[in-house]
Amino acid sequence: MHDTSQSQKLILIQNRYSKLVSDWQIMLREIRSSRRNMSNSQLQWKLADEIYSFVKWVENNNYVFANVSEALSRDVEMSRSQLNYLIKFRTHYPSIHHVSEEINWSKYREILDIRSSEARKICEEKILSGEIRTDRDTRDFKRRYRNSKRRLSS
């Protein structure tokens, strides 16, 4: 009896995964359909949330989604790097209300490389105030932040 329920659970997970992969491919096509959509951090967050929620749902059912990056990269047709950024994005920004429409996706990708949530927040504020305008400015901020952190730890 136990094996049957486990088998049924696995079938449910597989069926849900197949349906969601199709949904995620549609979302990804929408994102890729224009430059405006590609830079839209809210659309990126929605895709990230869908993927993250499924992975958490699998875990809550006492399973592990092994090789998640490989499987999703292959099945949804996106790079592992893109997928990892999406997961990191959703992890750092648990609600879409934390995602500013005024900060584009490429800047968020740069911000996600900052480990400190406090430094990420400062960087976001500088972007919103216009002090940081380009991705290069964001990279310069990250470099200055890392260097100042090293000096403090020396």
Side-chain angles (χ1 to χ4, degrees):
M1 188 86 132
H2 179 68
D3 290 339
T4 304
S5 67
Q6 290 296 340
S7 296
Q8 289 171 336
K9 235 184 201 183
L10 280 173
I11 290 169
L12 174 67
I13 290 170
Q14 288 174 326
N15 289 342
R16 188 166 180 187
Y17 178 76
S18 296
K19 159 98 175 73
L20 288 172
V21 162
S22 176
D23 294 348
W24 298 334
Q25 288 172 334
I26 291 167
M27 291 175 81
L28 194 57
R29 274 195 297 278
E30 179 187 353
I31 288 168
R32 291 175 175 164
S33 70
S34 70
R35 284 184 187 255
R36 173 177 277 168
N37 285 354
M38 286 176 66
S39 67
N40 185 322
S41 53
Q42 302 253 320
L43 281 177
Q44 299 281 353
W45 188 91
K46 287 175 184 173
L47 176 58
D49 184 56
E50 289 276 333
I51 293 169
Y52 181 86
S53 296
F54 175 75
V55 171
K56 288 299 172 193
W57 178 78
V58 169
E59 290 172 1
N60 290 338
N61 278 285
N62 299 317
Y63 287 93
V64 174
F65 193 150
N67 302 319
V68 66
S69 292
E70 283 180 40
L72 286 170
S73 174
R74 178 195 64 231
D75 296 341
V76 182
E77 300 172 3
M78 73 169 70
S79 73
R80 276 196 227 164
S81 172
Q82 170 78 358
L83 181 62
N84 290 331
Y85 273 111
L86 287 172
I87 298 297
K88 193 187 281 191
F89 189 43
R90 174 52 181 76
T91 303
H92 290 311
Y93 300 89
S95 166
I96 197 165
H97 302 294
H98 296 123
V99 177
S100 173
E101 292 179 16
E102 297 173 44
I103 300 175
N104 68 33
W105 174 238
S106 68
K107 285 197 182 54
Y108 270 115
R109 279 183 63 137
E110 292 291 339
I111 292 169
L112 290 170
D113 290 332
I114 302 171
R115 287 194 177 129
S116 162
S117 60
E118 182 180 327
R120 276 195 307 274
K121 192 73 180 152
I122 292 168
C123 187
E124 288 176 43
E125 289 167 2
K126 289 180 179 283
I127 291 169
L128 292 170
S129 73
E131 193 174 332
I132 292 177
R133 296 177 194 272
T134 65
D135 292 346
R136 183 184 180 111
D137 293 342
T138 310
R139 287 189 288 275
D140 288 344
F141 171 86
K142 290 189 310 190
R143 196 171 14 267
R144 285 191 309 273
Y145 174 76
R146 277 193 307 269
N147 291 338
S148 69
K149 199 171 157 187
R150 283 187 198 126
R151 278 187 297 245
L152 289 174
S153 64
S154 300

